[in-house]
């Protein structure tokens, strides 16, 4: 696309798009900038900040994609702050039913699908929080000086993140940290697995408790499970 070939020109153009314009214009520019190979970091950072200011949720995928494709941007504090904001506060839905107003309906061609194929994901699985965690992995490989800050962010998400789809993205962000502290990584992975088993137990117990079984017909293992 022209945006990919002339990123500086179109990054500047994005800043001049009126607020009332169709958001699809900004979205397409963000995707084009993400794929640009020779873009100036400052122009990309300006485009990210502009989109974040306009509507941080509507443009989340474009913003995160730029950072993942150009991870050195995380050297800039403002880009790092935006990425970490999405890790903590980004959208995440585990239902495959997404409200109509949250989707920008557009005509999708086969070329668009091919161009985006490397980053296609089901929005209901991990949303912006999961995508941001995956982008964090790329950042830590490229900008190792962010590792110290990343540890506390990842540890916080292991403790606090409730969405299963997002939690499944956490191990990828741990990979660049493995050689730095294997024991710490292992402990976080153990906690992730233990929390999954605990959640499964709670859901199964709740489901069995709601069923109408007589005590005689309720399987022994189910009675033991509910009693725990």
């Amino acid at each position: 696309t022209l945006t990919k070939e002339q990123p500086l020109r179109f990054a500047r153009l994005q800043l001049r798009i009126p607020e009332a314009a169709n958001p699809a214009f900004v979205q397409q520019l963000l995707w084009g900038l993400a794929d640009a190979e020779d873009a100036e970091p400052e122009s990309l950072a300006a485009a990210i900040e502009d989109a974040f200011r306009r509507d941080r949720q509507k443009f989340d995928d474009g913003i995160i994609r730029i950072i993942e494709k150009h991870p050195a941007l995380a050297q800039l504090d403002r880009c790092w702050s935006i990425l970490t904001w999405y890790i903590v506060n980004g959208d995440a839905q585990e239902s495959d039913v997404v409200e109509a107003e949250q989707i920008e309906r557009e005509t999708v061609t086969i070329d668009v699908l091919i161009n985006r194929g490397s980053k296609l994901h089901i929005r209901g699985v991990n949303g912006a929080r999961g995508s941001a965690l995956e982008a964090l992995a790329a950042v830590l490989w490229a900008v190792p000086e962010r590792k110290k800050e990343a540890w506390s962010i990842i540890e916080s998400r292991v403790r606090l993140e409730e969405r299963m789809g997002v939690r499944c993205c956490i191990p990828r962000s741990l990979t660049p940290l493995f050689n730095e502290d294997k024991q710490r990584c292992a402990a976080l992975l153990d906690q992730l697995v233990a929390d999954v088993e605990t959640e499964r137990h709670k859901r199964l117990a709740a489901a069995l408790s709601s069923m109408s079984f007589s005590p005689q017909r309720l399987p022994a293992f189910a009675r033991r499970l509910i009693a725990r």
Side-chain angles (χ1 to χ4, degrees):
T1 65
L2 288 176
T3 308
K4 179 180 178 180
E5 295 169 358
Q6 303 178 47
L8 180 58
R9 175 185 177 187
F10 284 94
R12 290 172 175 171
L13 174 62
Q14 179 189 313
L15 305 183
R16 300 173 61 185
I17 294 177
E19 298 288 337
N22 188 328
F25 294 137
V26 173
Q27 187 68 285
Q28 291 302 317
L29 286 174
L30 293 172
W31 279 82
L33 291 172
D35 291 331
E37 296 179 358
D38 299 318
E40 295 180 1
E42 285 296 334
S43 64
L44 292 178
I48 288 172
E49 287 183 290
D50 174 70
F52 190 74
R53 177 190 57 78
R54 288 174 186 264
D55 193 324
R56 59 192 62 183
Q57 292 182 322
K58 185 170 293 183
F59 301 123
D60 53 10
D61 57 342
I63 292 171
I64 294 169
R65 182 176 171 84
I66 289 179
I67 296 175
E68 182 174 25
K69 288 284 192 174
H70 302 272
L73 286 170
Q75 293 174 327
L76 304 174
D77 288 341
R78 56 193 190 276
C79 291
W80 172 252
S81 296
I82 288 173
L83 177 63
T84 57
W85 186 91
Y86 280 117
I87 291 173
V88 176
N89 303 299
D91 177 50
Q93 297 176 342
E94 289 203 332
S95 170
D96 56 1
V97 178
V98 182
E99 294 182 6
E101 63 264 26
Q102 292 178 310
I103 302 176
E104 181 67 32
R105 297 189 178 276
E106 57 181 280
T107 301
V108 179
T109 66
I110 188 64
D111 290 333
V112 171
L113 289 176
I114 291 173
N115 289 335
R116 294 187 180 182
S118 63
K119 189 59 182 175
L120 282 176
H121 65 274
I122 299 173
R123 181 174 181 174
V125 172
N126 56 21
R129 291 209 299 274
S131 296
L133 280 164
E134 293 179 348
L136 176 61
V139 164
L140 295 179
W141 287 119
V143 191
E145 55 265 35
R146 291 297 186 184
K147 287 183 177 180
K148 184 176 180 180
E149 295 167 272
W151 277 114
S152 60
I153 293 170
I154 295 172
E155 287 171 337
S156 173
R157 298 327 301 160
V158 170
R159 291 195 312 271
L160 302 175
E161 181 56 62
E162 297 180 351
R163 298 292 190 183
M164 190 66 66
V166 178
R167 293 178 71 83
C168 289
C169 298
I170 294 176
R172 181 172 175 181
S173 63
L174 276 172
T175 305
L177 301 174
F178 182 73
N179 287 330
E180 183 172 288
D181 193 331
K182 296 180 177 65
Q183 293 298 323
R184 198 173 181 182
C185 278
L188 287 170
L189 290 172
D190 284 343
Q191 186 176 343
L192 275 173
V193 174
D195 289 347
V196 168
E197 291 302 318
T198 299
E199 185 61 27
R200 284 179 178 172
H201 174 273
K202 288 179 180 178
R203 292 181 181 180
L204 181 57
L208 290 172
S209 297
S210 66
M211 294 179 180
S212 299
F213 286 113
S214 65
Q216 293 76 22
R217 297 190 63 185
L218 187 64
F221 82 92
R223 290 198 296 272
R224 290 198 299 271
L225 180 60
I226 294 172
R228 290 181 183 177

